[in-house]
Amino acid sequence: MSAVEQGPEGPDEAVPGAGGDGTATGETDDAAWVEVTPDAARRLLVAAVDAFAERGYHATTTRDIAGRAGMSPAALYIHYKTKEELLHRISRIGHDRALKIMRDAADSEGTAAERLDRAVRSFVGWHALRHTTARVVQYELDALGPEHRAEIIELRRGTDAAVREMISDGVRDGEFEVPDIPGTTLAVLSLCIDVARWFKVGGTRTPEEIGALHAGLVLRMVGAREA
C-alpha cells in the first residue's frame, strides 16, 4: 500500500455496532487476530493497536501496552522481544490482508471496471471497519526498523501493482481514459487509505456505504465508460 499524508479532518462516520469508546465492534475480537497465538500474545497485540492508534508509536511505552492488556510489563517480553517487533507483527498482518483484498479483486473475473469496483469497495470497507488497526498499519511505517520497513514497502508495492494492473487493463480495453496511470494509481490508493484516518463513530454511513461511494468516485476518476 502506498503511504499518504494526512489531510484535513473529515466527517465522523458510524460503524454499525460500535462501542461507546469509538472502537468498531469486531476490531479487537479474536476473529480479527486469529493467526496470533497464544492468547496472551493476542491480548498484547490488541492492546498495542489501541495504544499506538491513540498515542502514537513513539509516545507509547511497553508499560502502557501491558497495562491495557491487564498484564505485567515483563510479560510482554515473553512474546515480543521489542516494541518494534510488536509493531511489525501488526503491520505485517494488516498489509497481508490489504494486499489479498486487492490481489483477489485483480485476479477475479469481469471487466476492468467491475474488478476495480470490487477492489475499492473491499479495500475501503476494510479501512473503515478496521479503522483503528488501519491507522497504525498505514501511518506508523517510519517507526519500523530498516529490515522490517523494507519488507512492508515490498507488500505496499504489491498492492500498488494490483491497482495499476486493473487500471492498465481498463485503458488497454478502452474502458478507461487515464493519461497518467502511475499518478492515478497513487490517487486511488490515497483516497481509499485516508478513510482510516477520519472514520469515527457518530456519523451516518456504514463501511459498505462508504465503500460504494468511493468505488463510484474512483470509476469517475479513471473515466470509466457507463454501461
Side-chain angles (χ1 to χ4, degrees):
M1 288 177 281
S2 301
V4 296
E5 294 183 359
Q6 294 190 18
E9 288 299 321
D12 291 349
E13 297 295 350
V15 180
D21 62 353
T23 300
T25 297
E27 190 153 7
T28 56
D29 61 16
D30 284 350
W33 302 103
V34 65
E35 59 269 83
V36 181
T37 57
D39 178 69
R42 185 184 305 117
R43 285 165 51 200
L44 287 163
L45 185 141
V46 168
V49 167
D50 288 341
F52 293 157
E54 179 184 320
R55 298 169 56 85
Y57 174 81
H58 293 294
T60 298
T61 66
T62 55
R63 184 176 294 276
D64 293 332
I65 296 168
R68 287 172 184 255
M71 301 166 69
S72 69
L76 185 147
Y77 296 105
I78 296 174
H79 303 284
Y80 303 98
K81 295 178 181 177
T82 64
K83 185 176 69 167
E84 191 270 348
E85 181 183 328
L86 190 49
L87 175 63
H88 170 252
R89 182 79 165 124
I90 295 165
S91 189
R92 178 66 200 232
I93 292 172
H95 279 88
D96 279 341
R97 289 178 180 170
L99 175 56
K100 186 178 187 304
I101 288 170
M102 283 301 192
R103 195 66 259 168
D104 284 352
D107 294 339
S108 65
E109 298 294 328
T111 65
E114 290 168 344
R115 289 183 286 135
L116 186 59
D117 178 86
R118 284 194 291 270
V120 172
R121 286 173 184 265
S122 297
F123 197 60
V124 167
W126 185 84
H127 279 79
L129 184 62
R130 307 293 186 191
H131 59 281
T132 303
T133 299
R135 283 202 301 274
V136 176
V137 167
Q138 294 294 352
Y139 297 119
E140 293 289 0
L141 176 66
D142 289 340
L144 291 170
E147 183 177 344
H148 286 159
R149 188 173 187 274
E151 176 187 314
I152 298 305
I153 287 175
E154 192 62 28
L155 293 173
R156 290 186 178 218
R157 286 175 179 153
T159 301
D160 183 281
V163 176
R164 189 177 304 204
E165 177 184 319
M166 289 182 278
I167 295 175
S168 296
D169 287 350
V171 171
R172 180 199 63 205
D173 296 340
E175 294 182 53
F176 302 157
E177 294 182 9
V178 180
D180 182 351
I181 293 175
T184 303
T185 298
L186 176 61
V188 168
L189 287 168
S190 298
L191 180 69
C192 296
I193 288 169
D194 199 51
V195 169
R197 183 183 58 81
W198 55 257
F199 195 97
K200 300 174 183 176
V201 173
T204 57
R205 293 191 178 103
T206 67
E208 292 78 13
E209 289 170 338
I210 293 186
L213 171 64
H214 280 66
L217 292 172
V218 166
L219 290 178
R220 288 195 290 276
M221 185 187 299
V222 299
R225 301 180 185 279
E226 295 186 8

